[in-house]
Amino acid sequence: MKTSNSNTKLILLHPYIQKQGSSNRLWLLAFVSFFTIAFLLTLIYTRESITTKTTAPSTAVSGPAGSAIGGPPLPTTVVNTLLHYSSKSNDSYHMTYSELKPISDVLRKCSSPCNFLVFGLTQETLLWKSLNHNGRTVFIDENRYYAAYYEELHPEIDAYDVQYTTKISETRELIASAKEQIRNECRPVQNLLFSECKLGINDLPNHVYEVDWDLILIDGPRGDGPDGPGRMQPIFTSGVLARSKKGGNPKTHIFVHDYYRDVEKMSGDEFLCKENLVEYNDTLAHFVVERMEENSFQYCRNNDNNITSTKASSSS
């Protein structure tokens, strides 16, 4: 009789092994759940953000100095109040009401946002910035230290300095030289950043040459004394900027302050042209210069225009 020699084997599962398997499955489930919830929240937030940006009205665009561009114009009462108190300043070098009003009128009619370029940091600097509060206003001054000081004092002001290379005593020679170079360096239509014309300002920040300026005011640099720089360069440069516009309004309003002086009048007649002079009084001239074709080689179409004097106050 054969005896069976079979061994019975027992397999014991340690409780730790069972717990470890369950723990891994729980961690996997938690991991998947976390990312699922995160995905859903991201999707909901993105859709809400897109909807808000689409439906919210766009009322302002950031300007070069961080200021808002675009929006409603200043109320008439505010404008009139600013003009009144600015013209009543005790400073002997401030503009009168009859000088401020024509510039203010152009600013108010200018399409928003208005591009306003001002040569000279003067008593009216804050006024111009305020009147053009929805637009871009850039100031150019001959004194780099004063420009830096003014920006530090008024961070909202966008000011740059320029080194003028002209002298009042050289006015006639400089004008004659520019007319001789009218088909080359002193062309009426060009990017002055690359120009070697003696009357062209070519060391301003690049974006100044790229902006289509609606309004330009020339109230600097110093215009007294034979060694002063005079305003030949700003006047010539303003004419070129106006004729070289790529877009926007084809017309540019250019105001020249202290127009009674020989340098301002002589340069204005040559480079802004009598035919473009629409209004002037003893101290302020108002030109409207139109965009020209690139192959134009004359500053003025008619040098023999006769202009009848019109007081600025008559248009207010």
Side-chain angles (χ1 to χ4, degrees), residues 273-277 280 302-310:
C273 308
K274 291 180 179 180
E275 68 214 40
N276 297 325
L277 183 59
Y280 74 92
N302 181 11
N303 286 320
D304 299 323
N305 263 358
N306 294 319
I307 302 298
T308 303
S309 176
T310 304

Side-chain angles (χ1 to χ4, degrees), residues 58-237:
S58 178
T59 58
V61 179
S62 177
S67 58
I69 293 180
L74 280 175
T76 303
T77 52
V78 175
V79 172
N80 291 336
T81 301
L82 289 171
L83 292 177
H84 172 77
Y85 284 104
S86 296
S87 63
K88 299 299 180 183
S89 170
N90 292 327
D91 193 287
S92 57
Y93 296 103
H94 73 274
M95 282 187 177
T96 63
Y97 182 85
S98 63
E99 295 170 322
L100 298 172
K101 187 66 164 58
I103 302 171
S104 171
D105 288 344
V106 172
L107 279 172
R108 292 184 64 186
K109 295 175 183 177
C110 184
S111 299
S112 183
C114 189
N115 296 319
F116 186 15
L117 179 63
V118 183
F119 288 92
L121 287 169
T122 65
Q123 297 296 323
E124 291 76 33
T125 295
L126 295 179
L127 173 67
W128 303 137
K129 176 64 177 178
S130 300
L131 292 178
N132 193 34
H133 77 296
N134 287 325
R136 176 192 283 109
T137 307
V138 173
F139 297 89
I140 309 296
D141 196 77
E142 61 182 305
N143 190 325
R144 75 168 57 180
Y145 301 106
Y146 186 59
Y149 165 77
Y150 209 96
E151 277 195 313
E152 183 177 354
L153 197 63
H154 304 282
E156 73 277 12
I157 295 297
D158 193 11
Y160 302 95
D161 69 279
V162 62
Q163 301 300 311
Y164 292 105
T165 59
T166 56
K167 291 183 179 181
I168 291 177
S169 59
E170 303 170 344
T171 300
R172 294 185 183 276
E173 292 82 354
L174 289 168
I175 290 176
S177 174
K179 293 171 73 173
E180 290 175 2
Q181 295 291 319
I182 195 169
R183 289 184 171 270
N184 297 304
E185 295 298 331
C186 299
R187 299 186 305 278
V189 180
Q190 61 170 310
N191 186 340
L192 287 171
L193 185 63
F194 309 105
S195 175
E196 294 298 328
C197 181
K198 292 180 180 179
L199 285 182
I201 301 175
N202 61 4
D203 58 347
L204 294 172
N206 292 7
H207 71 268
V208 173
Y209 302 100
E210 298 169 357
V211 174
D212 294 318
W213 299 104
D214 298 296
L215 172 61
I216 301 175
L217 170 61
I218 301 166
D219 200 11
R222 291 171 293 115
D224 52 345
D227 293 329
R231 297 176 182 174
M232 303 85 77
Q233 280 188 289
I235 290 173
F236 176 85
T237 297

